Amino acid sequence: MRGNEEEFKKALQGKNVPILVLDQKWHRLFAIHGKPQNVVELESSLNALLARQGKLNTELKSLKKLKAQLMDNIVLNMQETENREQNSVRDQKLEADRKMIDETNGRIESIEDELLEIPKQIRAVNESLMLASMDYFYEKLRINKEESDEIDAWIKQIRIDLKKNIIRKQNRDINSHEMYAYIHDVLGPEVLDLFDAEYGTTDK
């Protein structure tokens, strides 16, 4: 980034920067020229992190629901019966449920650890995306100012030329009217009609 990037990073600290890829106002700022490649790449990384976070949250919810079901199963299968065969089946179910609970707990712990880290990664990438966006915005602001000044100068010149041409047109019209009036007064309308026929002119 142009200038002192560390100063820009410090300036962003404590600011409530929205998740840019979820902000429609941010997207609209690129509507005319499109996004530069570095912005596109950071946007893709941020979208991937958000998708990963959503997937993990969904999986975590499902795992907790599964764990609750397994716990219910264990409670239901805790009671012994007088039938030795039934007790053996019950013990096998209990062992299978406990094993699955251990596996589920391990996966839940892994997901929760990752979910603690993802927000930090999202903030970091979002900050980088904001810095890249600021770089783009300030460059476009500079170019827009130059182009706006050029257009403003052109408009001013057009206005000057327009005023000059309006005066020139008025002078030509007045002069033409005076000549028609003179010919009409001195030579009469018949000669004026012949003049119009010959030169294709009319008094306006």
Side-chain angles (χ1 to χ4, degrees), residues 144-157:
N144 287 347
K145 179 67 167 58
E146 290 177 357
E147 293 180 353
S148 178
D149 289 345
E150 289 176 4
I151 294 169
D152 186 53
W154 177 82
I155 290 172
K156 287 178 180 176
Q157 187 59 49

Side-chain angles (χ1 to χ4, degrees), residues 79-91:
Q79 297 178 348
E80 292 191 12
T81 66
E82 293 181 1
N83 187 312
R84 193 175 289 179
E85 186 176 335
Q86 287 180 346
N87 286 337
S88 175
V89 172
R90 181 210 63 183
D91 291 342

